[in-house]
Amino acid sequence: MSTTIKMTIDGKEIQAHPDQTILQAADAAGVYIPRLCNMKELIPHGSCRVCTVRCNGRPQAACIQPVADGMVVESNTPELTEHRRAIIDMLFVEGNHYCMFCEKSGNCELQAMAYRLGIATPRYPYQFPHRQVDATHPDVLIDRNRCILCGRCVSASRDVDGKSVFEFVGRNSHKRVAVNAESGLGATALTGADRAAGVCPVGSIIRKRTAYAQPIGQRKYDHQPIGSDIEAAGQK
Amino acid sequence: MNDLEVRVRAICQAHENNRTRLMDIVNAVQNEFGYVPGCALDAIAKECGTQRVAVQSLVSFYAFHSELPKGRHVIRLCNDIVDQFQDVQAVADAMVDEAGVPFGQTTPDNLLHLEWTPCIGMSDQAPAAIVDDVIFPRLTPAKAKALVKALKAGKSCAELAGRTGDGNNSHRLVKSAVHNNLRLRGDVIFADYHPGSGLAKALAMSPAEVVRDVKTSRLRGRGGAGFPTGMKWDFARQTDNRNKYVICNADEGEPGTFKDRVILTECPELLFDGMTIAGYATGSAHGILYLRAEYAYLKAFIEDLLAKRHKKGLLGKDVAGKTGFNFDIRIQMGAGAYICGEETALISSCEGRRGDPKNRPPFPAQKGYLECPTIVNNVETFCCAARILQEGPGWFAQKGSKGSPGTKLLSVSGDCEKPGVYEVPFGIQLQDLLEMVGADHPAAVQIGGPSGSLVGKAEFNRTICYDDLATGGSVMIFNQKRDVLKIAMYFLDFFIEESCGYCTPCRVGNVLIRERLGRFLNGTAESADLDYLTRLGTTVKFMSRCGMGQTSPNPVLTTLKNFPDAYRSRVKERKDKFQPTFDIGAALVDSQALAGRKSVHF
């Protein structure tokens, strides 16, 4: 790639490749735009909407929107931070999230995002939905109480593992992740080594017998907020 | 292999085991067995080379598909707000009384299933129900009771359909009790039109000239968003893909809209001409008419017309004698999902998937159906295009108002003497329309359906056009007895039910708005809730992924703006400033049952 384009994010001028999304260009420039469903190796899903920015004044999901020369992007503004907090709050109250004893605590992207955005407790009333747990697989567990419907497992199983073990079923607030077998995850082609078993941003799909392996103080987000790796790379 | 699997395999094979025709396959299984059982999911997946969970994903998405048996006749009674205000509840009670089961349940003999359904495109003849694809409009409790009784006695819906309506509703392939209620004919859509005439003019020009004429006419999409049609066609024309598609959006699901129903009944040839012209202009050989499941009663009639066009040479190879221009139209049936009216969701559905909208870019004109350039237009838009080619772009452009040329079909329902379809020039004042339709003490008018806005008397001097009160055609009139908050609550419930669930703000945000709006209705709201609703609604509008999510808080946001007193009058501030935000008695019911005694304090 020889050609580059120029654009600004929060007033900072950056260079980008024409085939990048706003999120990719920002990452490369060391500007962190908060995001949840997006994961580098997977096709962008564009569902959580946390990475929404103002792109030439209009709201766009940074993980989907391609860059363009002269594009003006606003991300770290009070307005957008407020909307992002609202989305994180929605995800917390939509499911049943028990951070204090969740195996994913300290390594959870939802929890880390809440801390980064300064959320101590959600502003909305908890919905306390009834959700299914599936422990039929010998090595992997699904606890839908914590699912945020980001689609990573669906994409990883289909596009990386080539198995399509997971898919969304139902619509509206009844939408959930289902597996490719009537009797549960244990009857699917999933193995513990599958990429799909390791992409969940929260504690919804977890490998069995791996919980609490890291002591508090050594977990991923214990000392640095989520996104600081991207920001640190930009400092160099 | 059991009989059911044999039948399911035959259905799949009749569709060439084509994964992209999964909608047709599942619709056929649903129609034959009344549901899509687990073994059918497996059989379909095996035949079509996909996963069971992928088939389940589709089946679980559409309201007209079911994974559990529902009984031989499913009675779907429309619970739209207009029906509610015309006492659909009394009709429902009569049905429940006669059937012996409540809504949402099946009779023990598996004969009848009762359920509610959102707007079925019959708001001008509410209350209305669909049973086995047959429409039963203008129901009364007595008629509803007689209907259920006759079904119990073994009568078929066709026998019970009642006296046929006007125009083509009495055609041998329609035979429906639906009335057109075509109240005002304008000179674009419901004018005299000789089938094939607009098409003949178009085929005498080059495709580029056709696009130029549509551009010159300044025609904008009639579905509501108002995108310039010529520009859309030009994008698709300029792509060099071999396969391109022309899709007609006849998934008329916006509550209170039924004008496409009348076009499909009375002037479908005009629509087919428009689609064929679009095919010629964009270099496409494939047309798809996406017909909402609620209009299945029109399917045989439309199919017959398409077959006749084939015989006349207006479809197929070398259309109308134009060498090298081939064009065909197939019908894609929907299955009860409002979101499929959104163009990318509609494309997903045509591809045999759940009706999730797609990420944009790429836009359909670049990459749409099966990744090919696709234009999606509303029924009325195609009809306008055919007339533009017939009469010339100047003829069209001088009608209507400056930014909104042409006429607009309005579907008028609610509290008025003459509900029905009106073809009016754009720029008509709301006040004049209300007089024309015989509105009864109008206090509020919902323009553009739930995703539009509810306006009060102070705004009756506004005009209907893209730059002022934009609308896909729905005009619902409410008199001073109707509760504005109940209207907002109904529309919100509608959006909550119809959300595809893909993005967070639309899926979760609206449920949270409902909870807070409910406080105003049950008397537990405090003044801070006004700000809460505004902020939450603004987030959902700003952060949502598709047009539906971005407009879904409008019922609340527009009523907050236009009818603030309806909210404020319900806030009861107490002297001690402590406002109960929930009913503690109700909250303690479960705990009291577990403890086996009542709370001492509450």
Side-chain angles (χ1 to χ4, degrees), chain A residues 106-183:
Chain A
N107 295 311
C108 171
E109 296 178 38
L110 178 67
Q111 181 193 41
M113 192 61 70
Y115 283 136
R116 179 171 175 123
L117 296 176
I119 297 170
T121 185
R123 75 193 83 169
Y124 306 127
Y126 286 100
Q127 303 295 297
F128 299 120
H130 291 280
R131 300 263 184 93
Q132 299 291 313
V133 177
D134 179 348
T136 57
H137 194 282
D139 300 319
V140 183
L141 165 83
I142 310 179
D143 182 351
R144 295 190 180 84
N145 286 293
R146 313 169 199 170
C147 180
I148 58 169
L149 302 169
C150 69
R152 283 190 193 175
C153 56
V154 176
S155 168
S157 184
R158 183 188 58 219
D159 306 326
V160 181
D161 303 326
K163 292 183 182 175
S164 298
V165 166
F166 301 99
E167 188 50 87
F168 289 116
V169 299
R171 70 181 188 198
N172 55 47
S173 55
H174 300 294
K175 184 176 177 171
R176 64 185 177 88
V177 169
V179 302
N180 190 34
E182 194 167 14
S183 62

Side-chain angles (χ1 to χ4, degrees), chain A residues 45-49 54 59 64 66 83 91 94 124-125 127 149 167-172 175 179-180 182, chain B residues 51-53 57 60-61 336 354 359 361 496-499 501-504 507 512 532 536 539 542-543 545:
Chain A
H45 195 236
S47 63
C48 75
R49 312 310 285 176
R54 271 195 189 269
I64 302 289
H83 286 315
L91 289 170
E94 184 194 24
Y124 306 127
Q127 303 295 297
L149 302 169
E167 188 50 87
F168 289 116
V169 299
R171 70 181 188 198
N172 55 47
K175 184 176 177 171
V179 302
N180 190 34
E182 194 167 14
Chain B
Q51 285 72 31
R52 170 203 166 85
V53 74
S57 178
S60 62
F61 189 86
R354 45 189 287 125
N359 283 321
I496 288 169
E497 173 61 29
E498 295 298 329
S499 167
Y502 195 105
C503 76
T504 314
R507 183 184 69 240
L512 298 171
Y532 177 101
L536 189 49
T539 294
F542 189 91
M543 300 294 268
R545 178 164 171 262

Side-chain angles (χ1 to χ4, degrees), chain B residues 534-550:
Chain B
T534 306
R535 281 165 177 262
L536 189 49
T538 307
T539 294
V540 173
K541 216 172 160 60
F542 189 91
M543 300 294 268
S544 284
R545 178 164 171 262
C546 78
M548 175 184 152
Q550 287 156 14

Side-chain angles (χ1 to χ4, degrees), chain B residues 374-394:
Chain B
T374 304
I375 59 157
V376 182
N377 282 130
N378 183 269
V379 173
E380 190 182 342
T381 313
F382 281 120
C383 292
C384 289
R387 292 284 286 149
I388 287 163
L389 267 296
Q390 185 197 18
E391 301 282 357

Side-chain angles (χ1 to χ4, degrees), chain B residues 395-559:
Chain B
W395 168 83
F396 184 84
Q398 55 154 13
K399 296 181 189 304
S401 68
K402 202 172 166 219
S404 310
T407 61
K408 183 76 193 87
L409 299 189
L410 300 177
S411 313
V412 179
S413 64
D415 300 314
C416 64
E417 269 172 55
K418 291 172 278 184
V421 173
Y422 294 77
E423 181 177 359
V424 297
F426 264 122
I428 188 175
Q429 219 175 39
L430 184 52
Q431 184 64 56
D432 295 339
L433 178 72
L434 292 173
E435 270 167 37
M436 195 194 306
V437 306
D440 158 39
H441 298 92
V445 182
Q446 184 79 30
I447 305 273
S451 56
S453 48
L454 188 68
V455 297
K457 274 187 180 162
E459 292 173 274
F460 286 179
N461 59 352
R462 289 176 65 183
T463 56
I464 293 175
C465 64
Y466 291 105
D467 308 314
D468 191 0
L469 288 171
T471 173
S474 172
V475 177
M476 297 160 126
I477 300 166
F478 302 108
N479 66 28
Q480 78 276 27
K481 283 182 282 182
R482 313 304 186 191
D483 183 347
V484 163
L485 258 56
K486 272 196 187 148
I487 297 170
M489 187 58 128
Y490 171 74
F491 288 151
L492 195 60
D493 273 333
F494 170 77
F495 283 131
I496 288 169
E497 173 61 29
E498 295 298 329
S499 167
C500 75
Y502 195 105
C503 76
T504 314
C506 173
R507 183 184 69 240
V508 191
N510 287 321
V511 174
L512 298 171
I513 293 176
R514 172 170 62 189
E515 183 269 340
R516 201 53 51 110
L517 182 58
R519 292 191 188 179
F520 286 89
L521 284 162
N522 70 19
T524 57
E526 50 187 313
S527 54
D529 290 334
L530 291 165
D531 185 50
Y532 177 101
L533 281 176
T534 306
R535 281 165 177 262
L536 189 49
T538 307
T539 294
V540 173
K541 216 172 160 60
F542 189 91
M543 300 294 268
S544 284
R545 178 164 171 262
C546 78
M548 175 184 152
Q550 287 156 14
T551 54
S552 59
N554 282 356
V556 173
L557 292 177
T558 68
T559 49

